[in-house]
Amino acid sequence: MVDVATLAGVSLKTVSRVVNNTPNVQPELVERVLAAVAELGFRRNHLASSLRSGQTTATIGLLIEEIANPFYAAIAGAAAEVARRHDTMLIIASSEEDPAREQQLLRDMCARRVDGLLVVPAGHDHSFLRAEVELGTPMVFLDRPPGGVLADTVLLDNRGGARAGVGRLVEAGHRRIAILLDSIGVYTMRERLDGAQDALAPTGAPYDTRLVREGIRDPAAASRVVAELLDQPDPPTAFFSMNNRITLGVVEELCRRGSDAALVGFDDFDLARLMPYPLTVIAYDTRELARTAAELLFRRIEGDRSWPRTVVLPTELVERGVPPR
Amino acid sequence: MVDVATLAGVSLKTVSRVVNNTPNVQPELVERVLAAVAELGFRRNHLASSLRSGQTTATIGLLIEEIANPFYAAIAGAAAEVARRHDTMLIIASSEEDPAREQQLLRDMCARRVDGLLVVPAGHDHSFLRAEVELGTPMVFLDRPPGGVLADTVLLDNRGGARAGVGRLVEAGHRRIAILLDSIGVYTMRERLDGAQDALAPTGAPYDTRLVREGIRDPAAASRVVAELLDQPDPPTAFFSMNNRITLGVVEELCRRGSDAALVGFDDFDLARLMPYPLTVIAYDTRELARTAAELLFRRIEGDRSWPRTVVLPTELVERGVPPR
DNA sequence: ATGAAAGCGCTAACAG
DNA sequence: CTGTTAGCGCTTTCAT
């Protein structure tokens, strides 16, 4: 900047004014400065400017589990769009579901003085962020609630969605309904399981724990569990899958066998219409989830100091056919 | 840091040493400093440290078209993984295929003094980056070559892949092969078209421009084009689709009609096995593309000053059946 | 409307 | 092993 000022024959401060589009600079000087900027290939150092001015880095951080996963990619896309409207850059980091890594990444983002944080929690204890929150760094949690810190949270109606999905199977006459889920350690899975039980309770059907299978991490595992369940003496007549990876494996195995068991899955599919199986699902708007969270965050960044709130977004039962019992 | 130093009764510099894990500090002092850090909730300002030390911000920028797109999400995932291994944060920005926006974003990233840039080009002229390159900011282009600037580039063998795909259709006896593509303005599409023509040329079949359809932006448009082509007096017996959005629309329309036309598509699908149609595709390793680019970038960041190179990654014909003519 | 001086929070260079 | 001093590139404050 000193070089530019020298070349343009003005003071350093005038260069700063021109570079920042401050009004009240003589057009002639503006031109001279701009010429010098071009000639020297000057590029403003954003770090230095936000170091001195102190308030904003025009950057927010997004912490997710894994960017290659379509769910998180959708979140990142919606967050990026909102960030863009606020002329803000987005730092994206993946926790890989590792709480230690989550903590390290969040600390690092804070050290970079992001203006705010959008977090899909991996761990259950976020009290280490309390100091940061008190220091005034806004943060919004999404998809899962934080632990040990009071902050804005945007969630899906997991319980209501699962209740509706299993309810639909009950309505179709099913009583032996297998429930397939990933780790019970994850908040969303616990909520969905509660919802499933809400729907099952009024039927008076005995709650058969052998029909609830936990720890299914991928489609292949889901296929194996389905095979095992169908080979039992008293097989289930319907399946409730708690995420789309599992649903995929269930579809594969049901098709392989030409089974007429019913299936309802949590999470919608891009290609559901082309599936060789009527796929009724519980859908929700992932982008809306992220958009809501990001907009809440920017409201905070712009100075909103109201009490933290929790927003719950609805889910929708997308009916594509449910074979009766 | 001054406060921490005062509280711990040491100099500012000692605090700096402790915070940076510099060896050769008395354990006792380390402890006192750490206690003060904890008590005051001190968090090192990463911006200030990289402003002064000047060399590295431990940040790289990734410019893509749109993060929610699975192709770019895969790229982002692989890049994030390499960045992570180098303890580097990733700023991701989406150009939305707008060259003006691309330029603005890249300039902004440079202003933030990223250590390097990973770019999937949207525009055709990147000469505005030349000053930046000369100033020593490493950058690697991927999926498409840059224009007007010499830099490392990692590409797929688009031409070879298309040649193999269309070649497979020719081998199955097809001569009237419809070719469906997105915008001809995109490098990858032009390359793939060249490859298709490579395969068609030796057959001596007249090159029928009515069978080459450009400007297909989404599955619905692809379905419409397929319908139109099949309703012609002399319909094609095979389709070559140049990306997976198009392939999807082709599959839908072929299924709807129960057509036995052959189909080969560029880009693989997650759910190809479950498709109601034998889907032979040209596959490639998207993550490998990004990994290669990111590793090249870090080699540059670490000081490699060798002449820029271009790497071309192979594609693979994944055979899932091709109906003969 | 323009400029001079101070300083953001940190690290480099050099002493002690 | 520890401290002092200067200064990264910019913006703020206050003068002119």
Side-chain angles (χ1 to χ4, degrees), chain A residues 186-258:
Chain A
V186 178
Y187 166 83
T188 49
M189 291 295 141
R190 284 197 306 276
E191 289 288 304
R192 291 171 192 182
L193 193 52
D194 286 349
Q197 287 170 352
D198 290 347
L200 247 22
T203 67
Y207 182 66
D208 187 344
T209 52
R210 286 167 313 164
L211 290 178
V212 178
R213 296 303 183 94
E214 197 247 353
I216 303 171
R217 311 265 177 235
D218 54 63
S223 292
R224 283 195 302 276
V225 170
V226 169
E228 199 185 307
L229 286 165
L230 289 177
D231 289 338
Q232 281 181 176
D234 187 10
T237 64
F239 291 85
F240 181 64
S241 151
M242 290 230 185
N243 72 34
N244 55 12
R245 282 192 313 281
I246 296 176
T247 304
L248 205 59
V250 176
V251 168
E252 272 208 74
E253 185 59 25
L254 293 182
C255 288
R256 194 173 297 139
R257 298 180 165 236

Side-chain angles (χ1 to χ4, degrees), chain A:
Chain A
M1 229 175 197
V2 176
D3 297 345
V4 174
T6 311
L7 180 61
V10 296
S11 81
L12 192 159
K13 177 64 215 183
T14 300
V15 177
S16 169
R17 286 194 177 99
V18 172
V19 166
N20 290 297
N21 288 315
T22 310
N24 303 336
V25 180
Q26 279 193 22
E28 188 205 314
L29 290 190
V30 173
E31 208 143 305
R32 259 162 50 200
V33 169
L34 256 26
V37 163
E39 183 168 339
L40 291 151
F42 169 81
R43 322 158 300 155
R44 176 152 159 282
N45 185 328
H46 190 271
L47 277 69
S49 84
S50 47
L51 173 60
R52 178 63 240 232
S53 71
Q55 293 325 298
T56 164
T57 52
T59 312
I60 62 171
L62 170 65
L63 187 91
I64 56 188
E65 304 256 305
E66 150 64 345
I67 181 69
N69 175 323
F71 174 69
Y72 294 109
I75 287 181
E81 194 189 306
V82 177
R84 173 193 165 175
R85 282 209 304 274
H86 291 264
D87 290 316
T88 293
M89 283 279 190
L90 190 60
I91 296 183
I92 303 182
S94 298
S95 65
E96 322 278 345
E97 299 194 64
D98 174 354
R101 187 163 153 69
E102 168 180 57
Q103 177 165 345
Q104 186 213 317
L105 289 169
L106 290 173
R107 281 187 194 283
D108 190 345
M109 286 176 167
C110 290
R112 283 155 197 267
R113 296 299 189 270
V114 291
D115 297 334
L117 242 26
L118 239 29
V119 184
V120 179
H124 298 286
D125 176 24
H126 300 86
S127 52
F128 66 93
L129 287 172
R130 219 139 54 185
E132 202 62 44
V133 171
E134 276 155 24
L135 230 134
T137 307
M139 50 190 81
V140 177
F141 291 82
L142 59 158
D143 193 47
R144 307 169 192 175
V149 61
L150 186 66
D152 292 316
T153 307
V154 183
L155 303 171
L156 294 172
D157 181 15
N158 290 288
R159 185 165 184 166
R163 190 187 300 132
V166 174
R168 182 66 189 78
L169 290 168
V170 167
E171 200 181 295
H174 295 282
R175 289 300 176 272
R176 291 192 59 73
I177 302 172
I179 296 174
L180 276 47
L181 62 150
D182 193 338
S183 165
I184 192 75
V186 178
Y187 166 83
T188 49
M189 291 295 141
R190 284 197 306 276
E191 289 288 304
R192 291 171 192 182
L193 193 52
D194 286 349
Q197 287 170 352
D198 290 347
L200 247 22
T203 67
Y207 182 66
D208 187 344
T209 52
R210 286 167 313 164
L211 290 178
V212 178
R213 296 303 183 94
E214 197 247 353
I216 303 171
R217 311 265 177 235
D218 54 63
S223 292
R224 283 195 302 276
V225 170
V226 169
E228 199 185 307
L229 286 165
L230 289 177
D231 289 338
Q232 281 181 176
D234 187 10
T237 64
F239 291 85
F240 181 64
S241 151
M242 290 230 185
N243 72 34
N244 55 12
R245 282 192 313 281
I246 296 176
T247 304
L248 205 59
V250 176
V251 168
E252 272 208 74
E253 185 59 25
L254 293 182
C255 288
R256 194 173 297 139
R257 298 180 165 236
S259 164
D260 62 349
L263 168 61
V264 171
F266 218 106
D267 304 338
D268 202 357
F269 275 83
D270 269 353
L271 303 181
R273 278 174 315 157
L274 288 174
M275 284 282 120
Y277 197 88
L279 206 45
T280 292
V281 298
I282 296 136
Y284 46 82
D285 190 339
T286 308
R287 295 186 65 89
E288 179 64 18
L289 173 70
R291 201 180 303 125
T292 305
E295 272 160 7
L296 217 50
L297 183 67
F298 278 104
R299 224 169 299 146
R300 295 292 182 194
I301 290 172
E302 282 151 14
D304 179 353
R305 290 278 169 276
S306 59
W307 194 252
R309 71 196 84 166
T310 294
V311 179
V312 177
L313 264 26
T315 58
E316 183 198 0
L317 185 72
V318 178
E319 173 76 63
R320 297 199 186 95
V322 173
R325 181 160 66 120

Side-chain angles (χ1 to χ4, degrees), chain B residues 73-111:
Chain B
I75 287 182
E81 194 189 307
V82 178
R84 174 194 166 171
R85 282 209 303 272
H86 292 263
D87 290 317
T88 292
M89 283 278 190
L90 189 60
I91 294 183
I92 303 182
S94 297
S95 65
E96 322 276 346
E97 298 192 65
D98 175 354
R101 189 165 152 67
E102 169 180 56
Q103 178 165 346
Q104 187 213 316
L105 290 169
L106 290 173
R107 281 187 193 283
D108 190 346
M109 286 175 166
C110 291

